């Protein structure tokens, strides 16, 4: 739970603003009802506060409820029973997919396209099977530095890199 | 509280390791017994888990207790009644002091010395008075990017930059 909330925080929070152009899919594969995917859409979010119990409650509810199609739990906050494989298959066609991995090309030398999706594991790496699924989408493999970071720290570093590109 | 725990997390946590060469001072100025300073020393830390209630409990205890000299609350985890001004005055002489601020020199072009201390506000900027105190130490003023980040994200970005330097 904590890692999810920290990833939401890293994906959306600026000092006095929310990243309206960001979107995150959190694929939850744990008990009791896997899979569950939570999708947060920056342009629609209201009142998001990662410290608030309400976000944790939304995530917890998503895990417990019986879900068919994707449902809106609150503004910008969607829940579905999509699997990791489903989420990949539903990404916009033609968008760039980046797999964050230690042995990839240095992010600082990498050319981002306008619409880019980053795929990363939580504090576990992707499993071999998950990696094979991802490789079917021909992702670019990109590294953030010489050491291995937690998922939420990866998101912060990527966002900083993108901020710098957009300034230029 | 959450911002403190996230700062600890950003300062020390790698994917499968703790940053043994890091140290953080958290200066708490809120009720009921300000000031309180919590100092964490990476080389001494054991069993630190930022998700654990135990870290939050240590911080909460530090706020409540009557404290004279600096006390060790657990391995690598020290508590004192030092103020912001005290903490600055006790930094090692000759070490480099960096003030993280939006209008500073770009961190990627900045030359770090071996022993460097970063000063940053929490989700509030430093007050005018705090800034004046800091400026007496002739800090270097450094910026992390074109937007303004939360304190814990600043720490993550700085650590990534230092990781890259140490690799080189």
């Amino acid at each position: 739970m904590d890692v999810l909330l920290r990833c939401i925080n890293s994906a959306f929070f600026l000092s006095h603003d929310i990243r309206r152009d960001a979107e995150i899919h959190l694929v939850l594969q744990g008990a009791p009802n896997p899979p569950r995917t939570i999708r947060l859409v920056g342009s629609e979010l209201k009142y998001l506060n990662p410290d608030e119990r309400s976000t944790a409650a939304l995530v917890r509810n998503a895990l417990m409820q019986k879900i068919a199609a994707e449902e809106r739990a609150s503004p910008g906050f969607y829940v579905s029973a999509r699997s990791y494989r489903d989420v990949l298959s539903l990404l916009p066609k033609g968008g760039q997919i980046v797999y964050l991995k230690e042995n990839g090309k240095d992010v600082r030398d990498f050319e981002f396209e306008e619409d880019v999706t980053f795929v990363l594991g939580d504090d576990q790496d992707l499993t071999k099977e998950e990696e094979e699924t991802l490789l079917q989408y021909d992702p670019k493999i990109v590294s953030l530095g010489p050491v291995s970071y937690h998922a939420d720290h990866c998101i912060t570093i990527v966002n900083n890199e993108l901020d710098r590109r957009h300034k230029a």
Side-chain angles (χ1 to χ4, degrees), chain A:
Chain A
M1 173 64 77
D2 286 305
V3 76
L4 295 182
L5 296 181
R6 283 203 301 270
C7 285
I8 293 173
N9 180 298
S10 293
F12 292 106
F13 280 79
L14 291 170
S15 188
H16 302 285
D17 209 355
I18 286 181
R19 294 181 184 277
R20 294 288 168 197
D21 56 353
E23 182 171 333
I24 191 171
H25 294 78
L26 302 162
V27 182
L28 315 178
Q29 304 188 114
N33 294 309
R36 285 289 180 268
T37 289
I38 294 171
R39 183 168 70 95
L40 278 79
V41 180
S43 60
E44 302 175 20
L45 286 172
K46 285 182 182 160
Y47 325 116
L48 182 69
N49 181 338
D51 296 347
E52 256 185 324
R53 307 296 163 249
S54 60
T55 305
L58 286 169
V59 174
R60 233 175 256 118
N61 284 343
L63 289 173
M64 297 307 296
Q65 283 167 8
K66 196 164 171 159
I67 289 166
E70 187 181 67
E71 294 173 9
R72 199 185 83 150
S74 80
F77 200 115
Y78 298 86
V79 179
S80 69
R82 289 173 189 162
S83 67
Y84 166 77
R85 191 178 286 268
D86 295 335
V87 169
L88 287 178
S89 73
L90 290 168
L91 291 176
K93 302 299 166 217
Q96 190 179 37
I97 297 182
V98 169
Y99 177 22
L100 293 177
K101 202 171 155 70
E102 286 80 355
N103 63 355
K105 182 179 168 81
D106 187 347
V107 69
R108 294 195 183 179
D109 302 326
F110 183 74
E111 286 194 32
F112 291 106
E113 293 173 8
E114 179 76 18
D115 179 14
V116 51
T117 299
F118 297 88
V119 181
L120 64 167
D122 61 1
D123 297 345
Q124 309 292 327
D125 287 337
L126 294 188
T127 64
K128 194 157 191 297
E129 193 188 335
E130 287 164 349
E131 187 169 82
E132 279 169 9
T133 303
L134 178 57
L135 292 177
Q136 293 167 17
Y137 291 86
D138 198 22
K140 307 296 181 184
I141 300 178
V142 169
S143 161
L144 300 178
V147 294
S148 186
Y149 298 102
H150 281 286
D152 57 315
H153 298 167
C154 291
I155 295 170
T156 297
I157 295 166
V158 162
N159 269 334
N160 177 244
E161 185 64 31
L162 293 174
D163 291 336
R164 290 171 167 271
R165 306 293 179 94
H166 287 154
K167 182 186 67 169

